Amino acid sequence: MDRNFARALALVLKSEGGWSDNPADPGGATMKGVTLANFRRYVRADATKADLRQISDDQVATVYRRFYWDAVLGAELPDGVDYAVFDFAVNSGPGRAAKYLQAAVGAVQDGRIGPATLGAARAKPAGVVIDQLCDARLAFLKRLPTWPTFGRGWSDRVRSVRADALKMTHTQPRRRQPSQPRFRRRPRRFPLLPSLRPRRRSSILLQP
């Protein structure tokens, strides 16, 4: 749901951290999870690494919404599933995240989320979809040659995503309105009425 974008983005940014330029990372230099390539694509075409390090919060939100959230139709996915797919897309690409979602819900795996995938995702319990997606995601990561380097962090991330996504599936309980004091009605007491039955008069025999 689109109302979850801000919350999902905050969770993603917690996992992504700040500046990173690890030679072993195929994504290259990143700041708050935004790669230099995506920064040039969506914000500034001639940006340098120094520019990337100064990326603003609004620019971060713009990149994440356009390149990841909108790409997986996060605004139309069920609560919790939207975040799980969104984080997968940030970590491994929107196309792969879409295919793994489609596998979890039994849709055609073409890497493009459309009406059929959305319908299938809504037809299954969100918790089941999240568990299957996270299991498949972790299995995929373990097959990567960079698992020995990044495996521990990825494992923690998937575990955290699963827990937070499952929390998002639960609707908040409605607050109970304070109950009004109830006053018991006392039983109405009626005064005892004299019997309406006529009294019997004693008969008097008249002597002649």
Side-chain angles (χ1 to χ4, degrees):
M1 297 293 180
D2 204 50
R3 66 174 180 269
N4 291 334
F5 173 70
R7 181 179 178 185
L9 178 59
L11 291 170
V12 166
L13 292 179
K14 188 188 296 184
S15 297
E16 288 294 335
W19 174 256
S20 175
D21 194 9
N22 191 328
D25 187 349
T30 61
M31 181 62 178
K32 297 181 178 180
V34 177
T35 64
L36 183 59
N38 284 335
F39 187 60
R40 288 171 175 170
R41 181 178 180 181
Y42 291 106
V43 181
R44 183 176 170 183
D46 60 346
T48 65
K49 288 184 179 181
D51 296 323
L52 177 60
R53 296 191 72 159
Q54 301 300 318
I55 189 171
S56 69
D57 291 342
D58 288 342
Q59 291 171 334
V60 168
T62 296
V63 173
Y64 275 97
R65 178 178 282 279
R66 292 182 181 178
F67 191 68
Y68 301 110
W69 183 261
D70 291 346
V72 297
L73 296 188
E76 299 182 54
L77 289 171
D79 291 335
V81 177
D82 50 4
Y83 167 54
V85 177
F86 176 51
D87 190 87
F88 195 169
V90 172
N91 199 201
S92 303
R96 179 171 284 107
K99 286 184 178 180
Y100 276 69
L101 171 65
Q102 289 166 336
V105 301
V108 176
Q109 298 178 55
D110 59 4
R112 300 177 65 182
I113 297 176
T117 303
L118 291 173
R122 293 166 183 158
K124 293 187 69 172
V128 173
V129 176
I130 291 167
D131 279 334
Q132 291 180 349
L133 184 64
C134 289
D135 288 344
R137 177 183 177 182
L138 189 59
F140 159 73
L141 292 171
K142 287 181 178 180
R143 294 193 298 269
L144 296 178
T146 50
W147 175 260
T149 304
F150 301 105
R152 183 175 180 179
W154 286 340
S155 182
D156 290 343
R157 178 169 182 164
V158 174
R159 186 184 305 110
S160 177
V161 168
R162 186 196 303 266
D164 287 324
L166 290 173
K167 289 177 184 177
M168 294 172 72
T169 65
H170 302 309
T171 56
Q172 295 295 326
R174 294 183 179 180
R175 292 183 178 180
R176 295 183 61 182
Q177 297 295 330
S179 58
Q180 297 296 328
R182 295 183 179 181
F183 298 96
R184 290 186 177 181
R185 290 185 177 181
R186 292 184 177 181
R188 193 171 179 182
R189 295 181 178 180
F190 295 94
L192 294 176
L193 297 178
S195 175
L196 298 179
R197 186 176 179 182
R199 296 178 180 177
R200 292 184 62 184
R201 295 182 179 180
S202 57
S203 57
I204 299 176
L205 294 177
L206 298 177
Q207 299 295 329

